[in-house]
Amino acid sequence: MKINKICCIGAGYVGGPTMAVIAKMNPDIQVTIVDINAERIAAWNDKDVSKLPIYEPGLAEIVEETRGRNLFFSTEIDKAINESEMIFISVNTPTKTYGKGKGMAADLKYVELCARNIAEVAKTDKIVVEKSTLPVRTAQAIKSILHNTGNGVNFSILSNPEFLAEGTAIQDLLNPDRVLIGGESEDAIESLANIYGSWVPQEQILRTNVWSSELSKLTANAFLAQRISSINAISELCEKTEANVGEVARAIGMDSRIGSKFLNASIGFGGSCFQKDILNLVYIARSYGLTAVADYWEQVIILNDHQKRRFSDNLISTLYNTVSGKKIAMLGWAFKKDTNDTRESAAIYVADHLLSEQANIAVYDPKVSEQRVQADLNYLQTRSEEENAKLVSCFEDPYEAVKDAHAIAIMTEWDEFKTYDWKKIHAVMKKPAFIFDGRNILDEDTMTKIGFEYSSIGK
Ligand code: NAD
Ligand code: UGA
């Protein structure tokens, strides 16, 4: 089946970039991205592409090229569903905050709402594609809703998980390691494979059954996160033994069976997905009675929480066991460089701990707004909004943020931090001037020569 019109429900970090690239590479296909969030859609439609709701290198250029040609952003969800032959569901699937599975299972209410919406509106046959990350066997539930509440039209369900990483989303989409399509109907699978086939070699488009596809996505994230927890565990051992985690990572990474990527020790992984997907994997394993499997994967999260806590504990103990009334400048708030996304960023948890010890926090991040920083802290409900507003200030100039600070904590590996005039920074800080490099991006010798008390991870 040749697809002429696609709709994507969910104009977020996945829906936006993914569909923009599909539209760029398939100028003959009309792609409409819809969302219930009118403000977000308005931002996607903003003439000034620097105001797009998502910051991703290369995205603005593609939106400029395709928007109004064959890429459209709209709040008219029913219309877009009705007109399209293929519908992607790319809505959020956060960890449940209530009821059964609270704090562990994925909340599938948004996905279910989409399925019900599609069933209600569709008057012609549709291919429904799961783009969101979903627990294995979710396609069964979507199928049941579509078939039991629909108007008698046929639905084919495909799983097509997304593997892009934020900050490199456009490159990841243009040159994917693989595209994964799981499904029952060969025709539906080939319709989707043809769309990707415009730019992805066919041998990189894997076809599997639906369940393998759903489970592969959770497994990929679990393996990636596990690597980070593994190197972070070793980083603590390095600090006790005078080994250097960078040297250890290099030495093991040259073993081709291990590989060199994803071995950067850090303050702990953040982002919207690793934690939620592993918790979900653990929940699924427990629900099948697989306690050893669940415990094994849960350890990845436990270690990650330990790493974040260890960082702030070390900062406090180094500052003579108190940060009360002291100014701590945080460079970076996003969960990694080249994104404005702060979901589950380690910075939030480190800041929260320091605030509980009565520190004053000054934040500078090149892409994150003050409103976002405050919202992230308020969401934790550790203290009142007024208190957070009083204790945390955000700056547009990094040199202002560090003025009179007792310590700097580097939370995100933004490239610009490496190019700062560190002598100038040292001059305006309180002495001794401490740097806690949570990303190991600065050169220890240079910093020490300037006069900083410099500490990093795993050295
Ligand atoms: P997001 O929160 O940025 O975007 C989701 C969007 O869906 C929101 O704008 C929301 O308003 C919209 N939405 C929710 N319910 C809706 C409904 N019923 N109708 C219309 N719109 C609705 O989320 P995201 O980061 O894009 O993630 C989406 C999915 O992709 C998740 O399952 C996530 O696990 C997965 N994923 C994310 C990434 C990533 O890097 N962020 C990568 C791979 C996979
Ligand atoms: C991750 C995966 O890499 C994607 O393949 C996946 O599609 C996505 O999750 C998802 O499902 O949401 P993302 O979270 O955007 O992508 O970014 P990563 O580059 O994986 O980084 C995640 C976190 O791990 C960041 O906080 C990063 O700083 C940290 N990290 C990464 C390390 O601490 N060390 C490393 O070596 C690598």
Side-chain angles (χ1 to χ4, degrees):
M1 182 177 163
K2 167 84 182 85
I3 303 294
N4 298 304
K5 288 190 178 175
I6 289 177
C7 153
C8 173
I9 309 179
Y13 282 87
V14 168
T18 312
M19 292 301 130
V21 168
I22 287 184
K24 175 183 166 66
M25 300 317 238
N26 293 276
D28 54 330
I29 299 180
Q30 182 180 311
V31 181
T32 307
I33 311 180
V34 292
D35 204 294
I36 38 172
N37 183 338
E39 211 180 307
R40 212 169 203 188
I41 291 296
W44 278 113
N45 280 323
D46 202 306
K47 280 206 187 76
D48 177 358
V49 287
S50 71
K51 298 213 172 96
L52 296 183
I54 287 168
Y55 172 71
E56 238 349 296
L59 174 64
E61 290 81 353
I62 297 181
V63 170
E64 232 166 8
E65 175 191 340
T66 52
R67 196 174 54 186
R69 179 189 81 184
N70 66 326
L71 179 67
F72 301 90
F73 296 91
S74 165
T75 50
E76 291 185 87
I77 300 177
D78 292 359
K79 181 166 175 274
I81 292 174
N82 219 350
E83 286 177 357
S84 306
E85 295 118 4
M86 183 177 276
I87 300 153
F88 288 78
I89 300 179
S90 185
V91 297
N92 36 328
T93 49
T95 304
K96 270 186 93 175
T97 52
Y98 56 90
K100 191 169 175 230
K102 179 179 170 179
M104 296 295 291
D107 191 344
L108 298 180
K109 75 177 166 203
Y110 306 107
V111 172
E112 179 168 342
L113 280 171
C114 291
R116 290 189 184 277
N117 199 351
I118 296 167
E120 203 178 293
V121 170
K123 296 195 192 72
T124 52
D125 294 355
K126 310 280 180 206
I127 298 172
V128 176
V129 185
E130 299 175 348
K131 186 52 118 176
S132 296
T133 301
L134 297 170
V136 55
R137 298 211 67 88
T138 305
Q140 190 66 41
I142 294 181
K143 191 172 173 184
S144 168
I145 291 165
L146 289 172
H147 288 282
N148 288 307
T149 57
N151 302 314
V153 301
N154 285 316
F155 294 104
S156 294
I157 295 141
L158 298 177
S159 159
N160 171 224
E162 185 48 62
F163 296 101
L164 68 79
E166 290 178 28
T168 53
I170 299 302
Q171 277 318 310
D172 295 342
L173 286 163
L174 289 172
N175 303 297
D177 288 344
R178 78 313 206 178
V179 165
L180 178 56
I181 305 177
E184 276 175 6
S185 153
E186 226 168 88
D187 283 352
I189 292 175
E190 291 317 311
S191 299
L192 182 53
N194 278 337
I195 294 171
Y196 284 109
S198 309
W199 79 98
V200 182
Q202 281 300 326
E203 58 278 13
Q204 275 166 253
I205 304 179
L206 300 182
R207 285 99 164 149
T208 65
N209 78 31
V210 187
W211 322 123
S212 305
S213 172
E214 288 178 337
L215 187 56
S216 297
K217 174 63 197 175
L218 290 184
T219 308
N221 274 358
F223 269 60
L224 288 167
Q226 183 201 42
R227 277 175 80 86
I228 303 169
S229 279
S230 297
I231 200 70
N232 281 342
I234 297 302
S235 76
E236 191 170 9
L237 197 52
C238 286
E239 288 166 25
K240 299 280 180 222
T241 57
E242 289 184 45
N244 175 325
V245 77
E247 291 176 355
V248 173
R250 187 148 174 260
I252 64 164
M254 283 173 79
D255 184 327
S256 60
R257 294 168 303 173
I258 296 175
S260 60
K261 292 181 184 163
F262 249 68
L263 288 178
N264 292 322
S266 67
I267 31 163
F269 59 76
S272 64
C273 293
F274 278 172
Q275 173 162 306
K276 111 176 142 57
D277 291 348
I278 295 177
L279 288 173
N280 190 212
L281 192 67
V282 170
Y283 181 76
I284 294 167
R286 287 235 161 87
S287 68
Y288 285 107
L290 309 179
T291 309
V293 177
D295 290 350
Y296 174 76
W297 286 109
E298 194 164 33
Q299 201 57 38
V300 174
I301 302 287
I302 293 172
L303 201 288
N304 196 51
D305 288 340
H306 170 70
Q307 188 76 352
K308 288 183 268 189
R309 186 69 185 198
R310 203 164 82 68
F311 182 80
S312 45
D313 278 341
N314 177 40
L315 189 152
I316 296 164
S317 64
T318 309
L319 292 187
Y320 317 107
N321 290 314
T322 178
V323 287
S324 180
K326 291 181 181 167
K327 177 175 173 182
I328 314 294
M330 283 191 156
L331 295 185
W333 189 264
F335 80 97
K336 62 183 285 196
K337 73 172 181 178
D338 292 338
T339 178
N340 61 346
D341 196 348
T342 65
R343 289 176 289 180
E344 291 299 328
S345 179
I348 303 170
Y349 297 96
V350 169
D352 189 52
H353 183 196
L354 298 178
L355 289 168
S356 297
E357 293 289 334
Q358 303 183 339
N360 292 308
I361 307 261
V363 180
Y364 167 77
D365 186 291
K367 291 288 171 196
V368 179
S369 67
E370 170 144 32
Q371 199 188 3
R372 183 72 261 154
V373 171
Q374 293 291 348
D376 287 338
L377 289 166
N378 292 335
Y379 183 78
L380 299 179
Q381 297 188 338
T382 314
R383 64 195 69 72
S384 70
E385 295 190 7
E386 292 72 30
E387 260 181 292
N388 280 331
K390 204 172 85 198
L391 294 170
V392 182
S393 40
C394 294
F395 293 81
E396 298 203 342
D397 178 353
Y399 295 94
E400 284 299 315
V402 299
K403 211 177 257 172
D404 291 324
H406 292 77
I408 291 175
I410 296 182
M411 309 308 292
T412 312
E413 72 281 24
W414 286 103
D415 289 335
E416 64 172 64
F417 298 164
K418 295 183 210 163
T419 65
Y420 286 174
D421 183 343
W422 286 97
K423 272 190 193 144
K424 185 171 149 189
I425 290 176
H426 183 261
V428 298
M429 284 177 69
K430 289 241 185 314
K431 307 294 173 327
F434 292 95
I435 295 185
F436 298 87
D437 185 351
R439 298 293 187 160
N440 292 357
I441 55 171
L442 301 177
D443 181 58
E444 181 165 8
D445 282 349
T446 315
M447 292 300 132
T448 314
K449 272 190 199 125
I450 293 174
F452 284 109
E453 297 289 327
Y454 174 85
S455 60
S456 56
I457 307 274
K459 286 180 197 163

